[in-house]
């Protein structure tokens, strides 16, 4: 939180960018930072958003229902995503990445598919959750696919809305 009498001005000038004055960040709507907590690791009534995991839609739905029963206000699923690219399928990309070392097992639902198949699963999840926390396999490959192909499909279905302030 900001104490105006302790405000320090940055006034930085570097080779590639400069910053003049203090870093003014608007206060969040709820008045404090959003607190996230994983279901099973914290009392679901404490965080603003409870994160649930599972290896299937059914497991996630069950965890979300339990979290709500225990007092969670918002429930998001943690989902790993890997999409088909023009050169490789999501399965091929995962195999290639795993060839560099041991595969990491996260316990999260893995959507390794083309964007259309992923959108179908996400529509199914939408009936049980307030949101999704995506974990892209490779950010610069999967995030653009998510933004360009998956989110517009979900938006047309009324499952993703943009804040009017962003328009």
């Amino acid at each position: 939180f900001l104490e105006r009498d302790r405000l320090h001005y940055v006034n930085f000038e570097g080779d590639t960018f400069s910053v003049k004055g203090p870093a003014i960040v608007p206060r969040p709507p709820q008045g404090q930072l959003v607190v996230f907590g994983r279901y099973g690791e914290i009392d679901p009534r404490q965080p603003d958003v409870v994160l649930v995991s599972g290896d299937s839609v059914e497991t996630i739905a069950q965890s979300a229902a339990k979290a709500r029963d225990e007092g969670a206000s918002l429930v998001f699923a943690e989902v790993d995503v890997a999409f088909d690219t023009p050169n490789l399928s999501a399965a091929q990309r995962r195999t290639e990445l795993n060839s560099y070392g041991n595969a990491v097992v996260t316990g999260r639902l893995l959507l390794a598919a083309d964007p259309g198949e992923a959108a179908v699963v996400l529509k199914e999840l939408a009936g049980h959750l307030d949101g999704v926390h995506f974990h892209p396999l490779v950010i610069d490959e999967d995030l653009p696919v998510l933004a360009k192909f998956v989110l517009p499909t979900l938006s047309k279905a009324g499952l993703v809305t943009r804040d009017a302030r962003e328009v």
Side-chain angles (χ1 to χ4, degrees), residues 3-166:
E3 291 184 41
R4 295 185 193 285
D5 57 344
R6 296 182 67 195
L7 186 64
H8 297 282
Y9 285 82
V10 179
N11 294 339
F12 172 80
E13 192 166 322
D15 294 335
T16 57
F17 71 94
S18 64
V19 178
K20 177 108 172 109
I24 308 251
V25 178
R27 187 179 173 117
Q30 71 278 13
Q32 64 184 23
L33 298 176
V34 177
V35 177
F36 290 83
R38 287 196 170 87
Y39 182 68
E41 295 178 11
I42 191 169
D43 180 342
R45 295 171 295 180
Q46 290 180 330
D48 299 308
V49 179
V50 174
L51 301 170
V52 295
S53 296
D55 59 0
S56 69
V57 172
E58 295 78 23
T59 305
I60 290 172
Q62 290 170 358
S63 294
K66 287 179 185 176
R68 286 189 200 286
D69 289 344
E70 294 174 24
S73 55
L74 293 173
V75 180
F76 282 32
E78 292 194 274
V79 178
D80 292 331
V81 292
F83 298 111
D84 294 346
T85 61
N87 300 329
L88 295 171
S89 71
Q92 291 169 321
R93 291 179 55 229
R94 287 186 58 231
T95 301
E96 181 182 330
L97 284 172
N98 290 340
S99 72
Y100 296 109
N102 293 335
V104 176
V105 178
T106 64
R108 298 186 287 252
L109 176 65
L110 172 64
L111 289 181
D114 71 63
E117 293 170 358
V120 170
V121 175
L122 292 169
K123 286 177 186 177
E124 188 178 346
L125 276 172
H128 307 284
L129 303 163
D130 300 300
V132 176
H133 179 206
F134 292 110
H135 297 267
L137 182 68
V138 179
I139 289 178
D140 63 343
E141 292 177 2
D142 296 306
L143 199 55
V145 174
L146 182 68
K148 188 173 183 180
F149 299 108
V150 178
L151 295 180
T153 301
L154 297 175
S155 183
K156 287 178 186 170
L159 300 174
V160 175
T161 58
R162 291 184 63 188
D163 188 329
R165 293 174 289 184
E166 293 180 23

